Amino acid sequence: MNHLFDWHVLDDSVWAAHIAAALRHYRAGKTWTPAAPSRSLALLFFNPSLRTRTSMELAGAQLGAHVTTITPGQGTWGFAWEDGKVMDGTEAEHIREAVGVLSRYYDALGVRVFASGTDYAQDRDETLMRAILDAATVPVVNLESAFYHPCQALGDASTLMTHFDGAAKGKKFVLTWTYHPKALPMAVPNSALLMAARLGMQVTVARPDGYGLDPGVMDQAQHYAARHGLTVEESTDQAAAFDDADVIYAKAWGGPLIYQDPDAEAARRQDFKDWRVTSELMARTNEAAFMHCLPVRRGVVVDDAVLDGPQAIHLLQAEFRLHAQKAILEHVWDLNPREEERVSGRLSASLFAPAHAEDGA
Ligand code: CP
């Protein structure tokens, strides 16, 4: 089955084909190409969403599929997740039956289920998303799980390839932590980091002490970077990290600290309220594009002048969610002319070629 759990478990050729397909949909604009008129898609959102929900509904509709969106707990039964649980409490249905039933009705499922924020091993191991994958008998698309947001990653990669006219490789990409009143999950920063490193960009993660990302994710990013002869840098000096950047990708995250001592993390976070993207910081860059996955808190994460200025590409980034997810649905339903797209452009040929011959494959 063509699950989309995360890109790092899929081949470069699949990743490149998806970027090519997303760009194809971008060039086509708001077209309705009913390649999937007899398909159906159920979207389960265990957590809130604006972009993912609407763009996925529209992606399905524009391909001609029937789409049902479900908000568990609102009009459905409450679901139990644990194996072996004696369900004598409030939960009336186990996720195994819920997903098993939906698999018999629908041709694919999309699921958003965020990190617990309390159990690091559960989140790192993607226990909840894996329970869905285990129970499903149709393809599942990850609409943001504990550690990964592959739909965002594909949209972001396609945005960058458009912004740089196919030449994202070698550009300086700064993933900068920002202050936020809440300790947010790490799925987006993890996915942005892996995406940029896989594209061969020079990646710097700027973040305060204690806000490093998961070591396993960093290792995977270093692996991608090494294929291009690069190293992912980390810096606790936000201003210095902005120097000569071509892309500033802002994101707040709680980091592993929230799992160890949430009160200490909350107190520590107050020391970093000045980690906000300002015009002054942007002036240090190489006229960098400003990116954010959205939603974004104005005046907290980034100043209005940056969001409303000419360097902000966050709305193009959001638009690409629709194009990317049409590419993903084509993939899960085997509608994508992937062979054609592998050879269709400069992307697949150039994206993954090592920067130097000695770097190897
Ligand atoms: N970026 C993103 O996933 O947005 P939503 O949470 O609104 O879906």
Side-chain angles (χ1 to χ4, degrees), residues 344-361:
S344 68
R346 56 200 157 186
L347 287 168
S348 50
S350 65
L351 259 179
F352 304 109
H356 309 290
E358 64 268 28
D359 295 331

Side-chain angles (χ1 to χ4, degrees), residues 53 64 125 127 134 139 153 164 193 195 247 270 300 310 313 315 350:
R53 175 178 172 153
D125 297 345
T127 304
D134 282 350
F164 291 116
L193 166 66
M195 172 277 301
V247 178
Q270 302 314 307
V300 175
I313 61 169
L315 297 183
S350 65

